Amino acid sequence: MPRLVDHDQRRAELGEAAVRVILRDGLAGVTVRGVAAEAGWSTGSLRHYFRNQYELQAYVVQATTDALRRRVLPRVQRPRTRGSLVEQIADIVEEMLPLDAERREEYALWSAVVEWERRHPPEGGSETWSDQRALYRQCVAAVRGHEPVREPGRVALPHADAQVELWAAILHTFVDGLASQIVNTPGEVSAETAARLLRSLLEAVPRARSAEAG
């Protein structure tokens, strides 16, 4: 009797192999031949699942996006009660900065997703960009004194407070630039400097009048 093959499991194994390739060689290394070698498969076996490099990379990018959500979201969403509100928000935003080995690995994976989206702009826009903007929008809204948005469908929508939208865009741009400096000019921006700069920016976010009155 022929052995049954769990195709979902096989695709998951290929995704894991492709992630290892990305971390070593970048998105350019995600080829049928390269991933097959990493997974210990023949190229013929891999082509049973992906007809060409485009299909393979598209699958890998989606798998990587899902993996980043699984890795980052639990850290972002864990309860924080110590320190001031700005300190708590800064602690959340720091999860997006490559300040240790785990987050540097995540930054490399995120960079591969960005590279793919630059080559093949998604019709509905970038998922990773939308996820990040939603996070920064929530962070700025909290600093401004607003209650958090609970409904998943509303998180990605513009906030009614125009200052939230403005400062979410500033924070998003700031974090992307700071992360790039940490990775691309190592030694120039220490973790301590990054933490200080981030907190300075969050302190500069103007509070809503209702929050100031309270």
Side-chain angles (χ1 to χ4, degrees):
M1 181 176 179
R3 185 165 61 92
L4 295 176
V5 176
D6 187 334
H7 293 289
D8 289 339
Q9 178 62 33
R10 298 295 292 275
R11 289 174 71 93
E13 291 172 2
L14 287 172
E16 292 171 1
V19 165
R20 295 194 296 271
V21 172
I22 287 175
L23 293 174
R24 185 178 64 241
D25 304 321
L27 184 63
V30 180
T31 63
V32 172
R33 184 184 300 275
V35 173
E38 180 68 28
W41 291 24
S42 68
T43 56
S45 297
L46 188 61
R47 289 188 189 281
H48 177 73
Y49 294 90
F50 307 102
R51 293 174 297 178
N52 51 48
Q53 182 172 321
Y54 176 88
E55 285 190 1
L56 172 62
Q57 289 191 341
Y59 169 77
V60 169
V61 165
Q62 186 58 58
T64 300
T65 301
D66 293 342
L68 285 170
R69 285 175 175 154
R70 289 195 302 271
R71 290 173 64 161
V72 176
L73 279 178
R75 300 201 312 263
V76 167
Q77 294 174 342
R78 66 179 173 82
R80 290 168 170 84
T81 56
R82 294 184 179 182
S84 66
L85 176 61
V86 164
E87 186 64 32
Q88 294 172 26
I89 298 300
D91 190 47
I92 292 172
V93 176
E94 281 177 348
E95 296 296 350
M96 309 302 292
L97 290 173
L99 298 175
D100 54 29
E102 181 178 14
R103 283 175 285 184
R104 285 192 294 273
E105 184 175 277
E106 290 164 358
Y107 183 84
L109 296 175
W110 174 80
S111 297
V113 174
V114 170
E115 181 182 352
W116 170 263
E117 291 180 340
R118 178 178 59 80
R119 296 180 187 175
H120 311 280
E123 289 186 8
S126 168
E127 290 185 32
T128 54
W129 188 95
S130 181
D131 285 350
Q132 288 174 308
R133 180 57 61 89
L135 171 63
Y136 300 136
R137 182 180 290 118
Q138 288 276 65
C139 288
V140 170
V143 173
R144 292 268 298 161
H146 295 291
E147 289 296 319
V149 175
R150 304 294 184 185
E151 300 85 350
R154 289 183 54 209
V155 171
L157 298 177
H159 200 279
D161 182 348
Q163 286 293 310
V164 168
E165 287 302 297
L166 171 63
W167 282 90
I170 292 171
L171 180 59
H172 194 164
T173 304
F174 173 86
V175 173
D176 280 0
L178 188 57
S180 176
Q181 288 188 9
I182 292 170
V183 170
N184 297 318
T185 54
E188 297 298 328
V189 181
S190 66
E192 293 75 17
T193 297
R196 176 172 51 80
L197 291 171
L198 174 59
R199 283 156 180 78
S200 295
L201 179 66
L202 291 172
E203 289 286 0
V205 175
R207 277 42 173 180
R209 290 178 181 174
S210 58
E212 291 172 348

